[in-house]
Amino acid sequence: MRLRDDEKAMLDGERGAARQKAMDLLVRYANALGCEEFVDVTNVAGVPGQASLFLEQQFGHSGGYDARYSLYDLDSDGVAAIPEPAVPHACHLQGGTDPEAWPVLGHKPELAAIGRTSDQAAAEHGIRVLKTCTPYLAGFEARRGEHCAWMESSAVVYCNSVLGARTNTEGRESTSAAMLTGKIPNFGLHLDDGRVGTHLIEVDHPTESVMDFGLLGYWIGEQVQERIPVVRGLPGPVDLVRHKHFGAAAASSGGTELYHIVGQTPEAPTAEAAFAGRTPREKIRYGAAERRLSWELLNQTGRSRDVDYVMLGCPHAAFEQLSEAAQLLDGRRIHANCALWIFTSRAVKARADAAGLTQAIRDAGGQLMTDTCSAIGQAVPPGTKVVALDSAKQAHYLPAIMNIEAWFGTTRDCIDAALTGRWGGVPP
Ligand code: F3S
């Protein structure tokens, strides 16, 4: 590798043991990629030093933040004192449980306790503890062109596509190492060439609701897998919530890390610009038949129309979505045989608390929670057999994780299911 002086100094241990271990890990990572240089990053989103019952049980290791960070994040046998981040912007993404409502999730007090101590340690190290997959809704953004190291697929695709910043999909280890060094291998989406569109998607069907954008994203991910779609034919402007659901869906079915929407996303003022003047490898039309196919894929596990759980907030709900849910509930109580859980970030929940939305959801018999979700927390209400979802990402993962049936539809379909205990959504 071509190491610059500051990189060599870190690797030689001149900046302390933790940064040396972090640099060593990043050099191994770059070598595995065949990448010969690093790029400076200023913005890192990961789960630095996070404790979990799984890690404690698997490795039988405890001993505080330094030990966890050294062992789990830096792949080190020895424990190093972990310093503050080397980057100006560092945040902690989602975790395993809600710090207050963990009993509702059926989690053990030990999980809540290790979550609290791990959050506190991260905060003491100068890391913003946001505990969300939507850091961009909690005041943690990235500038256009800024080199970042983010994990969490739905956040990564948003960072690249909507903010126009640059990150590959990193993992716990690489983000934690990047936090201590300000470096990440310079490959893939950090490079101009890696951001050029590959597939032209012609949208030839009205696409308006959040569900529509989930269906479109899920279908596009299936088609392009990890390549870069350029979407044409969508009337603008596409709002934040639709981007959020579209990108999360495409990242679930296909591993999409970057998309361009012509005339709307920062690197696609025109289709020609998104393709950098090159010819698309493939042109694909999205019409009524493709939309129906996407719906069928997302509803393939749905059998019984008796719904006993409705989950909203994947990716974590925006304030507007909580407001919509409260409006749809309209002061009514949810059905006695059904639970309603909605997940969001701490920052958005604070706004919802102040606006009376949390209370409105609670008055209806629902629960607004933070930090985690059913898939990440592996938690559904006791006895759940059938869930209703307005998120293609959660519909992709939750049936397999929790061995339950899932229906996917609009937010209104989901709230109606919560109120009646029955799924009434119909194919588009
Ligand atoms: Fe977020 Fe959980 Fe969905 S962490 S993106 S709500 S799977």
Side-chain angles (χ1 to χ4, degrees), residues 39-115:
V39 62
D40 291 333
V41 290
T42 43
N43 185 309
V44 182
V47 291
Q50 176 169 262
S52 76
L53 284 180
F54 172 77
L55 290 178
E56 307 279 316
Q57 283 161 0
Q58 285 290 309
F59 300 100
H61 195 282
S62 57
Y65 188 75
D66 289 350
R68 276 197 309 277
Y69 206 122
S70 300
L71 179 68
Y72 302 149
D73 298 40
L74 301 181
D75 186 33
S76 158
D77 291 333
V79 175
I82 303 299
E84 294 211 337
V87 296
H89 308 289
C91 83
H92 192 305
L93 298 168
Q94 72 267 15
T97 194
D98 182 302
E100 289 160 14
W102 54 268
V104 178
L105 293 163
H107 287 153
K108 295 182 177 158
E110 301 93 281
L111 181 63
I114 61 175

Side-chain angles (χ1 to χ4, degrees), residues 94 133 152 154 311 313-316 373 375-376 393-394:
Q94 72 267 15
C133 49
E152 166 47 46
S154 70
M311 189 208 126
C314 173
H316 280 170
C373 69
I376 294 292
K393 175 171 180 174
Q394 197 75 202

Side-chain angles (χ1 to χ4, degrees), residues 224-274:
V224 307
Q225 294 297 308
E226 291 175 354
R227 287 158 298 184
I228 301 174
V230 177
V231 186
R232 192 159 65 181
L234 283 175
V238 178
D239 67 9
L240 185 155
V241 169
R242 285 162 178 76
H243 274 297
K244 174 166 83 77
H245 280 252
F246 172 82
S252 304
S253 57
T256 304
E257 296 171 285
L258 166 65
Y259 61 82
H260 301 294
I261 297 181
V262 175
Q264 302 204 39
T265 53
E267 292 161 66
T270 62
E272 292 69 29

Side-chain angles (χ1 to χ4, degrees), residues 80-155:
I82 303 299
E84 294 211 337
V87 296
H89 308 289
C91 83
H92 192 305
L93 298 168
Q94 72 267 15
T97 194
D98 182 302
E100 289 160 14
W102 54 268
V104 178
L105 293 163
H107 287 153
K108 295 182 177 158
E110 301 93 281
L111 181 63
I114 61 175
R116 274 194 299 274
T117 50
S118 142
D119 289 357
Q120 191 183 343
E124 285 167 3
H125 282 75
I127 294 159
R128 291 180 65 188
V129 180
L130 302 178
K131 301 305 283 285
T132 179
C133 49
T134 56
Y136 48 85
L137 285 173
F140 189 89
E141 293 224 354
R143 285 175 286 105
R144 181 171 177 183
E146 183 174 13
H147 290 279
C148 306
W150 283 26
M151 58 180 285
E152 166 47 46
S153 65
S154 70

Side-chain angles (χ1 to χ4, degrees), residues 94-417:
Q94 72 267 15
T97 194
D98 182 302
E100 289 160 14
W102 54 268
V104 178
L105 293 163
H107 287 153
K108 295 182 177 158
E110 301 93 281
L111 181 63
I114 61 175
R116 274 194 299 274
T117 50
S118 142
D119 289 357
Q120 191 183 343
E124 285 167 3
H125 282 75
I127 294 159
R128 291 180 65 188
V129 180
L130 302 178
K131 301 305 283 285
T132 179
C133 49
T134 56
Y136 48 85
L137 285 173
F140 189 89
E141 293 224 354
R143 285 175 286 105
R144 181 171 177 183
E146 183 174 13
H147 290 279
C148 306
W150 283 26
M151 58 180 285
E152 166 47 46
S153 65
S154 70
V156 164
V157 69
Y158 190 93
C159 180
N160 279 311
S161 312
V162 184
L163 303 179
R166 299 186 169 210
T167 180
N168 293 303
T169 304
E170 299 295 345
R172 172 177 180 146
E173 297 80 4
S174 57
T175 49
S176 290
M179 263 185 212
L180 296 183
T181 58
K183 309 286 177 181
I184 205 77
N186 193 19
F187 80 109
L189 295 172
H190 289 287
L191 308 171
D192 290 345
D193 207 44
R195 302 180 66 84
V196 175
T198 58
H199 289 58
L200 179 63
I201 312 293
E202 296 279 14
V203 178
D204 190 16
H205 194 280
T207 302
E208 288 156 14
S209 69
V210 171
M211 180 185 86
D212 289 341
F213 275 83
L215 289 170
L216 176 63
Y218 199 72
W219 183 81
I220 288 176
E222 280 276 332
Q223 302 303 308
V224 307
Q225 294 297 308
E226 291 175 354
R227 287 158 298 184
I228 301 174
V230 177
V231 186
R232 192 159 65 181
L234 283 175
V238 178
D239 67 9
L240 185 155
V241 169
R242 285 162 178 76
H243 274 297
K244 174 166 83 77
H245 280 252
F246 172 82
S252 304
S253 57
T256 304
E257 296 171 285
L258 166 65
Y259 61 82
H260 301 294
I261 297 181
V262 175
Q264 302 204 39
T265 53
E267 292 161 66
T270 62
E272 292 69 29
F275 285 110
R278 298 176 200 166
T279 306
R281 284 188 216 170
E282 218 176 312
K283 294 182 185 174
I284 312 174
R285 178 181 169 275
Y286 177 82
E290 289 75 17
R291 185 167 183 262
R292 173 67 188 239
L293 181 64
S294 186
W295 186 91
E296 282 170 2
L297 281 172
L298 285 163
N299 282 285
Q300 61 186 308
T301 63
R303 300 277 180 280
S304 168
R305 288 191 172 258
D306 289 329
V307 172
D308 30 34
Y309 174 37
V310 174
M311 189 208 126
L312 305 177
C314 173
H316 280 170
F319 181 83
E320 296 76 12
Q321 292 177 287
L322 299 180
S323 183
E324 182 189 7
Q327 274 174 16
L328 289 169
L329 286 166
D330 194 23
R332 292 169 290 175
R333 289 283 301 177
I334 61 172
H335 193 269
N337 296 339
C338 194
L340 170 65
W341 291 356
I342 309 180
F343 294 91
T344 191
S345 60
R346 296 177 185 186
V348 170
K349 181 168 180 292
R351 284 184 66 200
D353 290 349
L357 297 176
T358 308
Q359 190 60 46
I361 292 164
R362 196 177 297 137
D363 288 347
Q367 183 89 30
L368 181 61
M369 291 184 270
T370 67
D371 288 35
T372 190
C373 69
S374 278
I376 294 292
Q378 300 195 8
V380 295
T384 294
K385 293 191 179 70
V386 183
V387 64
L389 304 158
D390 69 352
S391 160
K393 175 171 180 174
Q394 197 75 202
H396 180 85
Y397 288 113
L398 197 60
I401 292 174
M402 300 307 289
N403 193 25
I404 56 178
E405 297 173 26
W407 293 106
F408 167 78
T410 64
T411 308
R412 180 182 288 277
D413 290 337
C414 292
I415 293 291
D416 284 349

